[in-house]
Amino acid sequence: MFRLKANKTSLYKLVGTYEDLPPMRQVTITKAYRAPDWWLKWTDADGLLCVAFFSTCLGKPLLAIEKKEFGGPQVSRVVHDLDAKDMLERGMVEEFTTAAERRQAERRAACGTV
């Protein structure tokens, strides 16, 4: 399984590959409480409020970018299915073994099966 371990700079660079971002000081970056999820908020050149959400779903990293008028209806929403290899190279995700997977491996080792 994969676990997110992004930081502000890596997330800013990732969103920058999909959107034109203002300088980093003009972007609000928030980490979700007790979760490895992140938000970026900024206003684009057209005056639209933009929100990027970085998370995982079923072990796959996803980046959702919404644009809407301030206090108005949503203009667009695009969800990017990110490549796990690219995220590993960027250092934004790490592979980890769950407790259930460790127990299963221990049982196999005790039984002599691989």
Side-chain angles (χ1 to χ4, degrees):
M1 291 191 91
F2 290 108
R3 175 180 15 215
L4 295 181
K5 65 170 206 171
N7 59 34
K8 291 179 181 183
T9 306
S10 64
L11 187 60
Y12 179 84
K13 288 179 181 179
L14 174 67
V15 176
T17 59
Y18 296 100
E19 292 289 326
D20 291 329
L21 291 174
M24 194 168 187
R25 291 184 182 259
Q26 296 176 3
V27 175
T28 303
I29 302 173
T30 309
K31 185 180 180 318
Y33 178 69
R34 291 188 147 190
D37 305 335
W38 291 82
W39 285 274
L40 261 77
K41 291 183 184 179
W42 73 96
T43 304
D44 69 357
D46 298 328
L48 296 174
L49 176 65
C50 302
V51 178
F53 180 66
F54 181 57
S55 184
T56 58
C57 182
L58 299 173
K60 292 191 60 98
L62 298 174
L63 177 67
I65 301 174
E66 284 185 14
K67 292 184 178 183
K68 67 178 187 174
E69 296 175 3
F70 186 73
Q74 182 174 318
V75 175
S76 72
R77 178 183 171 93
V78 179
V79 178
H80 300 280
D81 184 15
L82 304 173
D83 183 36
K85 282 186 180 180
D86 182 37
M87 295 294 104
L88 279 169
E89 290 171 3
R90 290 176 182 258
M92 296 182 73
V93 294
E94 63 183 351
E95 264 189 284
F96 75 101
T97 307
T98 63
E101 291 171 336
R102 282 193 301 270
R103 283 193 301 271
Q104 186 177 21
E106 290 170 0
R107 286 186 200 127
R108 285 182 183 160
C111 294
T113 60
V114 177

